[in-house]
CSV table of all heavy atoms in Angstrom, one decimal:
chain,number,residue,atom,x,y,z
A,168,ASN,N,177.7,139.0,-140.7
A,168,ASN,CA,178.5,138.1,-141.6
A,168,ASN,C,178.0,136.6,-141.6
A,168,ASN,O,177.9,136.0,-142.5
A,168,ASN,CB,180.0,138.2,-141.2
A,168,ASN,CG,180.6,139.4,-141.7
A,168,ASN,OD1,180.4,139.8,-142.9
A,168,ASN,ND2,181.5,140.0,-140.9
A,169,GLU,N,177.6,136.2,-140.3
A,169,GLU,CA,177.1,134.9,-140.2
A,169,GLU,C,175.8,134.6,-140.9
A,169,GLU,O,175.4,133.6,-141.4
A,169,GLU,CB,177.1,134.5,-138.7
A,169,GLU,CG,178.4,134.3,-138.1
A,169,GLU,CD,178.3,133.7,-136.7
A,169,GLU,OE1,177.3,133.6,-136.1
A,169,GLU,OE2,179.5,133.6,-136.0
A,170,ALA,N,174.9,135.8,-140.7
A,170,ALA,CA,173.5,135.6,-141.5
A,170,ALA,C,173.7,135.6,-142.9
A,170,ALA,O,173.1,134.9,-143.6
A,170,ALA,CB,172.8,137.0,-141.0
A,171,TYR,N,174.7,136.5,-143.4
A,171,TYR,CA,175.0,136.5,-144.9
A,171,TYR,C,175.5,135.1,-145.3
A,171,TYR,O,175.0,134.6,-146.4
A,171,TYR,CB,176.0,137.5,-145.1
A,171,TYR,CG,177.0,137.4,-146.1
A,171,TYR,CD1,176.7,137.3,-147.5
A,171,TYR,CD2,178.4,137.3,-145.9
A,171,TYR,CE1,177.6,137.2,-148.5
A,171,TYR,CE2,179.3,137.1,-146.9
A,171,TYR,CZ,178.9,137.1,-148.2
A,171,TYR,OH,179.8,136.8,-149.2
A,172,ASP,N,176.4,134.5,-144.6
A,172,ASP,CA,177.0,133.2,-145.0
A,172,ASP,C,175.9,132.1,-144.9
A,172,ASP,O,175.8,131.2,-145.8
A,172,ASP,CB,178.1,132.8,-144.0
A,172,ASP,CG,179.4,133.6,-144.4
A,172,ASP,OD1,179.5,134.1,-145.4
A,172,ASP,OD2,180.2,133.7,-143.4
A,173,ALA,N,175.0,132.3,-144.0
A,173,ALA,CA,173.9,131.3,-143.8
A,173,ALA,C,173.0,131.4,-145.1
A,173,ALA,O,172.5,130.3,-145.6
A,173,ALA,CB,173.0,131.5,-142.5
A,174,ILE,N,172.7,132.5,-145.5
A,174,ILE,CA,171.7,132.7,-146.7
A,174,ILE,C,172.5,132.1,-147.9
A,174,ILE,O,171.8,131.5,-148.8
A,174,ILE,CB,171.5,134.2,-146.8
A,174,ILE,CG1,170.6,134.6,-145.7
A,174,ILE,CG2,170.7,134.4,-148.1
A,174,ILE,CD1,170.2,136.2,-145.6
A,175,ILE,N,173.8,132.4,-148.0
A,175,ILE,CA,174.5,131.9,-149.1
A,175,ILE,C,174.4,130.4,-149.2
A,175,ILE,O,174.1,129.7,-150.2
A,175,ILE,CB,176.0,132.2,-148.9
A,175,ILE,CG1,176.2,133.7,-149.3
A,175,ILE,CG2,176.8,131.4,-150.0
A,175,ILE,CD1,177.6,134.1,-149.2
A,176,ARG,N,174.6,129.7,-148.0
A,176,ARG,CA,174.5,128.2,-147.9
A,176,ARG,C,173.1,127.7,-148.3
A,176,ARG,O,173.1,126.8,-149.1
A,176,ARG,CB,175.0,127.7,-146.5
A,176,ARG,CG,176.4,127.9,-146.2
A,176,ARG,CD,176.8,127.1,-144.9
A,176,ARG,NE,176.0,127.6,-143.8
A,176,ARG,CZ,176.5,128.6,-142.9
A,176,ARG,NH1,177.6,129.2,-143.2
A,176,ARG,NH2,175.8,129.0,-141.9
A,177,MET,N,172.1,128.4,-147.7
A,177,MET,CA,170.8,127.9,-148.1
A,177,MET,C,170.5,128.1,-149.5
A,177,MET,O,169.8,127.2,-150.2
A,177,MET,CB,169.8,128.7,-147.3
A,177,MET,CG,169.8,128.5,-145.7
A,177,MET,SD,168.5,129.2,-144.9
A,177,MET,CE,168.8,130.9,-145.0
A,178,ARG,N,170.8,129.2,-150.2
A,178,ARG,CA,170.6,129.4,-151.6
A,178,ARG,C,171.4,128.6,-152.5
A,178,ARG,O,170.9,128.2,-153.5
A,178,ARG,CB,170.7,130.9,-151.9
A,178,ARG,CG,169.6,131.8,-151.2
A,178,ARG,CD,169.5,133.1,-151.7
A,178,ARG,NE,168.3,133.8,-151.1
A,178,ARG,CZ,167.7,134.9,-151.5
A,178,ARG,NH1,168.2,135.4,-152.6
A,178,ARG,NH2,166.8,135.5,-150.9
A,179,LYS,N,172.6,128.3,-152.1
A,179,LYS,CA,173.4,127.5,-152.9
A,179,LYS,C,173.0,126.0,-152.8
A,179,LYS,O,172.9,125.3,-153.8
A,179,LYS,CB,174.9,127.5,-152.3
A,179,LYS,CG,175.8,126.8,-153.2
A,179,LYS,CD,177.2,126.9,-152.7
A,179,LYS,CE,178.2,126.1,-153.6
A,179,LYS,NZ,179.6,126.2,-153.1
A,180,GLY,N,172.5,125.6,-151.7
A,180,GLY,CA,172.1,124.1,-151.5
A,180,GLY,C,170.7,123.8,-152.0
A,180,GLY,O,170.5,122.7,-152.3
A,181,GLY,N,169.9,124.8,-151.8
A,181,GLY,CA,168.5,124.5,-152.1
A,181,GLY,C,167.7,125.3,-153.0
A,181,GLY,O,166.6,125.6,-152.8
A,182,GLY,N,168.3,125.9,-154.0
A,182,GLY,CA,167.6,126.7,-155.0
A,182,GLY,C,167.4,128.0,-154.4
A,182,GLY,O,166.9,128.3,-153.3
A,183,SER,N,167.7,129.1,-155.2
A,183,SER,CA,167.5,130.4,-154.8
A,183,SER,C,166.2,131.0,-155.0
A,183,SER,O,165.5,130.7,-156.0
A,183,SER,CB,168.7,131.3,-155.5
A,183,SER,OG,168.4,132.7,-155.3
A,184,ASN,N,165.8,131.8,-154.1
A,184,ASN,CA,164.6,132.6,-154.3
A,184,ASN,C,164.8,133.9,-155.1
A,184,ASN,O,163.8,134.5,-155.5
A,184,ASN,CB,164.0,133.1,-152.9
A,184,ASN,CG,163.5,131.9,-152.1
A,184,ASN,OD1,162.9,130.9,-152.6
A,184,ASN,ND2,163.7,131.9,-150.8
A,185,GLY,N,166.1,134.2,-155.3
A,185,GLY,CA,166.4,135.4,-156.1
A,185,GLY,C,166.3,135.1,-157.6
A,185,GLY,O,166.0,134.1,-158.1
A,186,THR,N,166.5,136.3,-158.2
A,186,THR,CA,166.5,136.2,-159.7
A,186,THR,C,167.7,136.3,-160.4
A,186,THR,O,167.7,136.3,-161.6
A,186,THR,CB,165.5,137.4,-160.1
A,186,THR,OG1,166.2,138.6,-159.7
A,186,THR,CG2,164.1,137.3,-159.6
A,187,GLY,N,168.8,136.5,-159.6
A,187,GLY,CA,170.1,136.7,-160.2
A,187,GLY,C,170.8,135.4,-160.8
A,187,GLY,O,171.7,135.5,-161.6
A,188,GLY,N,170.4,134.3,-160.3
A,188,GLY,CA,170.9,133.1,-160.8
A,188,GLY,C,172.3,132.9,-160.3
A,188,GLY,O,173.1,132.1,-161.0
A,189,THR,N,172.8,133.5,-159.3
A,189,THR,CA,174.2,133.4,-158.9
A,189,THR,C,174.3,132.2,-157.9
A,189,THR,O,175.5,131.8,-157.5
A,189,THR,CB,174.8,134.7,-158.2
A,189,THR,OG1,173.9,134.9,-157.1
A,189,THR,CG2,174.6,135.8,-159.2
A,190,GLY,N,173.2,131.7,-157.4
A,190,GLY,CA,173.4,130.6,-156.4
A,190,GLY,C,173.7,131.2,-155.0
A,190,GLY,O,174.2,130.6,-154.1
A,191,GLY,N,173.5,132.5,-154.8
A,191,GLY,CA,173.8,133.1,-153.5
A,191,GLY,C,174.6,134.4,-153.7
A,191,GLY,O,175.2,134.6,-154.7
A,192,TYR,N,174.6,135.2,-152.6
A,192,TYR,CA,175.3,136.5,-152.8
A,192,TYR,C,176.8,136.2,-153.0
A,192,TYR,O,177.4,135.5,-152.3
A,192,TYR,CB,175.1,137.2,-151.4
A,192,TYR,CG,175.9,138.4,-151.3
A,192,TYR,CD1,175.9,139.5,-152.4
A,192,TYR,CD2,176.9,138.6,-150.3
A,192,TYR,CE1,176.7,140.6,-152.3
A,192,TYR,CE2,177.6,139.7,-150.2
A,192,TYR,CZ,177.5,140.7,-151.2
A,192,TYR,OH,178.3,141.9,-151.1
A,193,GLY,N,177.3,136.9,-154.0
A,193,GLY,CA,178.8,136.9,-154.2
A,193,GLY,C,179.3,135.6,-154.8
A,193,GLY,O,180.5,135.5,-154.9
A,194,ARG,N,178.4,134.7,-155.4
A,194,ARG,CA,178.9,133.5,-155.9
A,194,ARG,C,179.0,133.5,-157.4
A,194,ARG,O,179.2,132.5,-158.0
A,194,ARG,CB,178.0,132.3,-155.4
A,194,ARG,CG,177.9,132.1,-154.0
A,194,ARG,CD,179.0,131.4,-153.5
A,194,ARG,NE,178.9,131.2,-152.1
A,194,ARG,CZ,179.9,130.6,-151.4
A,194,ARG,NH1,181.0,130.1,-152.0
A,194,ARG,NH2,179.8,130.4,-150.0
A,195,THR,N,179.1,134.7,-158.0
A,195,THR,CA,179.2,134.8,-159.4
A,195,THR,C,180.5,134.0,-159.9
A,195,THR,O,181.5,134.3,-159.3
A,195,THR,CB,179.3,136.2,-159.8
A,195,THR,OG1,178.2,136.9,-159.3
A,195,THR,CG2,179.4,136.3,-161.4
A,196,GLY,N,180.3,133.1,-160.9
A,196,GLY,CA,181.5,132.6,-161.5
A,196,GLY,C,182.2,131.6,-160.5
A,196,GLY,O,183.4,131.2,-160.7
A,197,GLY,N,181.5,131.1,-159.4
A,197,GLY,CA,182.0,130.2,-158.4
A,197,GLY,C,182.9,130.8,-157.5
A,197,GLY,O,183.4,130.2,-156.6
A,198,SER,N,182.9,132.1,-157.4
A,198,SER,CA,183.6,132.9,-156.4
A,198,SER,C,182.8,133.4,-155.3
A,198,SER,O,181.7,133.9,-155.5
A,198,SER,CB,184.4,134.1,-157.2
A,198,SER,OG,184.9,135.0,-156.1
A,199,ARG,N,183.3,133.3,-154.1
A,199,ARG,CA,182.6,133.8,-153.0
A,199,ARG,C,182.5,135.4,-153.1
A,199,ARG,O,181.5,136.0,-152.5
A,199,ARG,CB,183.3,133.4,-151.7
A,199,ARG,CG,182.7,134.0,-150.4
A,199,ARG,CD,183.4,133.6,-149.2
A,199,ARG,NE,182.9,134.1,-148.0
A,199,ARG,CZ,183.4,134.1,-146.8
A,199,ARG,NH1,184.6,133.4,-146.7
A,199,ARG,NH2,182.8,134.6,-145.7
A,200,TYR,N,183.5,135.9,-153.8
A,200,TYR,CA,183.6,137.4,-153.7
A,200,TYR,C,183.2,138.0,-155.1
A,200,TYR,O,183.8,139.0,-155.5
A,200,TYR,CB,185.0,137.7,-153.4
A,200,TYR,CG,185.5,137.1,-152.1
A,200,TYR,CD1,186.4,136.0,-152.1
A,200,TYR,CD2,185.1,137.7,-150.9
A,200,TYR,CE1,186.7,135.5,-150.9
A,200,TYR,CE2,185.6,137.2,-149.6
A,200,TYR,CZ,186.4,136.0,-149.7
A,200,TYR,OH,186.8,135.5,-148.5
A,201,GLY,N,182.3,137.4,-155.8
A,201,GLY,CA,182.0,137.9,-157.3
A,201,GLY,C,181.5,139.3,-157.2
A,201,GLY,O,181.9,140.1,-158.1
A,202,ASP,N,180.8,139.7,-156.2
A,202,ASP,CA,180.1,141.1,-156.2
A,202,ASP,C,181.3,142.0,-155.8
A,202,ASP,O,181.3,143.1,-156.4
A,202,ASP,CB,179.1,141.1,-155.0
A,202,ASP,CG,178.1,142.3,-155.3
A,202,ASP,OD1,177.6,142.4,-156.4
A,202,ASP,OD2,177.9,143.0,-154.4
A,203,ILE,N,182.2,141.5,-155.0
A,203,ILE,CA,183.3,142.4,-154.6
A,203,ILE,C,184.2,142.7,-155.8
A,203,ILE,O,184.7,143.8,-156.0
A,203,ILE,CB,184.1,141.9,-153.5
A,203,ILE,CG1,183.2,141.9,-152.2
A,203,ILE,CG2,185.4,142.7,-153.2
A,203,ILE,CD1,183.8,141.3,-151.0
A,204,ARG,N,184.5,141.6,-156.6
A,204,ARG,CA,185.2,141.8,-157.8
A,204,ARG,C,184.6,142.7,-158.8
A,204,ARG,O,185.3,143.5,-159.4
A,204,ARG,CB,185.3,140.4,-158.5
A,204,ARG,CG,186.3,139.5,-157.9
A,204,ARG,CD,186.3,138.1,-158.5
A,204,ARG,NE,187.4,137.2,-158.1
A,204,ARG,CZ,188.7,137.1,-158.5
A,204,ARG,NH1,189.0,137.9,-159.5
A,204,ARG,NH2,189.5,136.3,-157.9
A,205,SER,N,183.3,142.7,-158.9
A,205,SER,CA,182.6,143.7,-159.7
A,205,SER,C,182.8,145.0,-159.3
A,205,SER,O,182.9,146.0,-160.1
A,205,SER,CB,181.1,143.2,-159.8
A,205,SER,OG,180.4,144.2,-160.5
A,206,MET,N,182.8,145.2,-158.0
A,206,MET,CA,182.9,146.7,-157.4
A,206,MET,C,184.3,147.1,-157.8
A,206,MET,O,184.5,148.3,-158.2
A,206,MET,CB,182.7,146.6,-155.9
A,206,MET,CG,181.3,146.4,-155.4
A,206,MET,SD,181.3,146.4,-153.6
A,206,MET,CE,179.6,146.0,-153.4
A,207,ILE,N,185.4,146.3,-157.6
A,207,ILE,CA,186.7,146.7,-157.9
A,207,ILE,C,186.9,147.0,-159.4
A,207,ILE,O,187.5,148.0,-159.7
A,207,ILE,CB,187.7,145.6,-157.5
A,207,ILE,CG1,187.7,145.4,-155.9
A,207,ILE,CG2,189.1,145.9,-158.0
A,207,ILE,CD1,188.6,144.2,-155.5
A,208,SER,N,186.3,146.2,-160.2
A,208,SER,CA,186.5,146.4,-161.6
A,208,SER,C,185.7,147.7,-162.1
A,208,SER,O,186.2,148.3,-163.1
A,208,SER,CB,185.9,145.3,-162.4
A,208,SER,OG,184.5,145.1,-162.3
A,209,THR,N,184.7,148.1,-161.4
A,209,THR,CA,184.0,149.4,-161.8
A,209,THR,C,184.4,150.5,-160.9
A,209,THR,O,183.8,151.7,-161.1
A,209,THR,CB,182.4,149.2,-161.6
A,209,THR,OG1,182.2,148.8,-160.3
A,209,THR,CG2,182.0,148.1,-162.6
A,210,GLY,N,185.5,150.5,-160.2
A,210,GLY,CA,186.1,151.6,-159.4
A,210,GLY,C,185.4,151.9,-158.1
A,210,GLY,O,185.7,152.9,-157.6
A,211,ARG,N,184.6,151.0,-157.6
A,211,ARG,CA,183.9,151.2,-156.3
A,211,ARG,C,184.7,150.6,-155.2
A,211,ARG,O,184.5,149.7,-154.6
A,211,ARG,CB,182.5,150.5,-156.3
A,211,ARG,CG,181.6,151.2,-157.4
A,211,ARG,CD,180.2,150.4,-157.5
A,211,ARG,NE,179.6,150.3,-156.2
A,211,ARG,CZ,178.5,149.5,-156.0
A,211,ARG,NH1,178.1,148.7,-157.0
A,211,ARG,NH2,178.0,149.4,-154.8
A,212,ILE,N,185.9,151.3,-155.2
A,212,ILE,CA,187.1,150.7,-154.2
A,212,ILE,C,186.5,150.7,-152.7
A,212,ILE,O,186.7,149.7,-152.1
A,212,ILE,CB,188.2,151.5,-154.4
A,212,ILE,CG1,188.6,151.3,-155.9
A,212,ILE,CG2,189.3,150.9,-153.5
A,212,ILE,CD1,188.8,150.0,-156.5
A,213,GLN,N,185.9,151.8,-152.3
A,213,GLN,CA,185.6,152.0,-150.9
A,213,GLN,C,184.5,151.0,-150.5
A,213,GLN,O,184.6,150.3,-149.5
A,213,GLN,CB,184.9,153.3,-150.6
A,213,GLN,CG,184.6,153.6,-149.2
A,213,GLN,CD,184.3,155.0,-148.9
A,213,GLN,OE1,184.2,155.9,-149.8
A,213,GLN,NE2,184.1,155.4,-147.7
A,214,ASP,N,183.4,150.7,-151.5
A,214,ASP,CA,182.5,149.7,-151.1
A,214,ASP,C,183.0,148.3,-151.1
A,214,ASP,O,182.8,147.5,-150.2
A,214,ASP,CB,181.4,149.7,-152.2
A,214,ASP,CG,180.5,150.9,-152.2
A,214,ASP,OD1,180.5,151.6,-151.1
A,214,ASP,OD2,179.8,151.2,-153.1
A,215,ALA,N,184.1,148.1,-151.9
A,215,ALA,CA,184.7,146.7,-151.9
A,215,ALA,C,185.5,146.5,-150.7
A,215,ALA,O,185.5,145.5,-150.1
A,215,ALA,CB,185.6,146.6,-153.1
């Protein structure tokens, strides 16, 4: 979890190396949990 949070901070603060344009994992729409919201909306309850 700490590694994941560290990557989020780095990508949010200094430009992401990724192609998703989210500014870091789970930051869709300014939410830390954007990816989890997507899982819930598509019925992937266990993953969420």
Side-chain angles (χ1 to χ4, degrees):
N168 281 319
E169 290 185 359
Y171 146 68
D172 285 338
I174 292 173
I175 287 177
R176 287 193 298 270
M177 288 189 291
R178 294 193 171 198
K179 184 180 180 182
S183 170
N184 290 325
T186 59
T189 62
Y192 172 55
R194 295 288 178 175
T195 305
S198 168
R199 176 184 181 184
Y200 307 100
D202 203 53
I203 294 174
R204 283 177 174 270
S205 178
M206 290 178 184
I207 294 173
S208 66
T209 56
R211 296 170 56 193
I212 304 305
Q213 185 174 3
D214 287 343

